[in-house]
Amino acid sequence: MSSDAGTWQVIPPKGRRGRQRLADLLTQEAVNAQTRAGTPPATSFLDAASIAADHEKLCSKWRDSSSYRELCALVSANTVGHATIKTAICLGPGSFDVRDESSRYCRSSHDAHVQLEAFRTVVGLLEEKSGYKIQCYAQEPSFGPSDKEYCHSLGIEVVDTPGAFQHVDSTAFVFGIHLPHVAWGYALSHHLPGLYVGTSLNSLDELNTALRDDKALAAVIARVEEMRSSADRWAFPAGERHTWLESTFSSTEILWLREKADDAFGGEKG
């Protein structure tokens, strides 16, 4: 990131002590944010079966979109030469429940369902290509009882914050769309994942311009920069213009660590 481009230059800390200071900073910021967060709901408006029905209705258009087709092609074409994934973590998808019947199929529900479907699509393709069964986790502070039951029906283990972060390592796929940067700070604090689908570096840079004194944000940028140096990068396939799908995955990129033997190759794709 160059200051000539109007963004702040971030230099990742060198050595074990520097990385530990970075991890300590990110962890403390995330703990502070979680302390300020509210408690999850004790009841649900929709039951798990209704959530499943809503999921099919809301995701059908995405499955017919260019975004879906391009994502499937991208993952299928790049499993060879990149990190093998054995764990998948979906961070902050949002609740699939609603306040009342009138808010059903609203924008937030649409995005929560479609983003979960994208996560599951990637996992399914990785399992198909690698032959590994992938352990899946979801972490969302606003999940109510029906959200958790629905995820369980899909084979996804719901964990309380910050339980999912302990599963991040070089064989993990971490998926988080439009996450607060502090959540990414916690997720990336100790280990970099094998596959990252999350906030693009350009978007983090833009946020850094507005929040110049945010040390946690600067640290997140440093970690994403570090991962970029060993990964291939793609923009997440966007949905059709002038539809909800256009912004569902906006400002999102894919970083996939290259296998060690291929460290001398790679770069930005597409």
Side-chain angles (χ1 to χ4, degrees):
M1 290 162 293
S2 169
S3 58
D4 294 338
T7 56
W8 289 87
Q9 186 175 17
V10 177
I11 301 175
K14 303 296 184 181
R16 183 179 300 173
R17 289 184 179 179
R19 288 193 296 271
Q20 185 57 48
R21 288 195 301 272
L22 173 60
D24 291 344
L25 170 66
L26 295 173
T27 299
Q28 187 57 52
E29 287 291 334
V31 169
N32 292 343
Q34 181 60 28
T35 300
R36 295 190 295 268
T39 57
T43 60
S44 300
F45 179 78
L46 297 175
D47 59 21
S50 297
I51 290 176
D54 286 0
H55 185 85
E56 289 305 309
K57 181 173 183 177
L58 289 168
C59 292
S60 60
K61 185 173 292 186
W62 181 69
R63 294 192 196 104
D64 289 334
S65 73
S66 61
S67 172
Y68 172 81
R69 293 189 295 273
E70 290 171 16
L71 179 64
C72 290
L74 189 159
V75 174
S76 296
N78 288 283
T79 52
V80 176
H82 292 92
T84 298
I85 302 303
K86 299 181 180 180
T87 304
I89 305 159
C90 184
L91 298 174
S95 174
F96 312 111
D97 199 11
V98 294
R99 294 186 303 274
D100 51 45
E101 191 66 32
S102 65
S103 59
R104 225 166 156 181
Y105 314 122
C106 66
R107 178 58 191 268
S108 60
S109 291
H110 168 273
D111 285 358
H113 280 286
V114 172
Q115 288 167 11
L116 178 69
E117 184 67 9
F119 170 78
R120 295 181 62 223
T121 295
V122 173
V123 169
L125 289 167
L126 292 172
E127 289 181 332
E128 178 184 327
K129 293 292 183 177
S130 70
Y132 286 105
K133 177 64 178 176
I134 295 175
Q135 175 65 53
C136 294
Y137 300 94
Q139 179 176 284
E140 169 54 69
S142 68
F143 271 175
S146 292
D147 292 309
K148 295 177 180 179
E149 183 180 348
Y150 175 62
C151 287
H152 178 74
S153 73
L154 300 176
I156 300 173
E157 180 180 345
V158 176
V159 294
D160 294 331
T161 305
F165 301 129
Q166 68 182 348
H167 299 292
V168 177
D169 61 20
S170 61
T171 66
F173 160 39
V174 181
F175 179 97
I177 309 300
H178 304 150
L179 276 186
H181 69 272
V182 170
W184 273 123
Y186 209 160
L188 304 177
S189 61
H190 288 285
H191 301 284
L192 293 175
L195 176 58
Y196 165 102
V197 176
T199 308
S200 69
L201 189 59
N202 287 343
S203 296
L204 291 170
D205 278 342
E206 291 172 2
L207 186 59
N208 195 33
T209 301
L211 302 176
R212 299 183 180 184
D213 297 325
D214 192 319
K215 294 181 179 179
L217 175 57
V220 172
I221 291 173
R223 290 296 270 169
V224 175
E225 283 274 27
E226 183 180 349
M227 184 169 182
R228 268 195 173 197
S229 69
S230 304
D232 285 324
R233 174 169 63 98
W234 301 264
F236 194 98
E240 284 77 0
R241 291 179 57 82
H242 310 303
T243 70
W244 279 1
L245 289 174
E246 182 180 8
S247 59
T248 299
F249 299 105
S250 62
S251 304
T252 299
E253 70 180 8
I254 301 169
L255 299 176
W256 202 341
L257 289 183
R258 297 184 290 273
E259 288 183 341
K260 296 295 183 181
D262 297 329
D263 279 349
F265 303 93
E268 183 175 354
K269 307 292 183 182

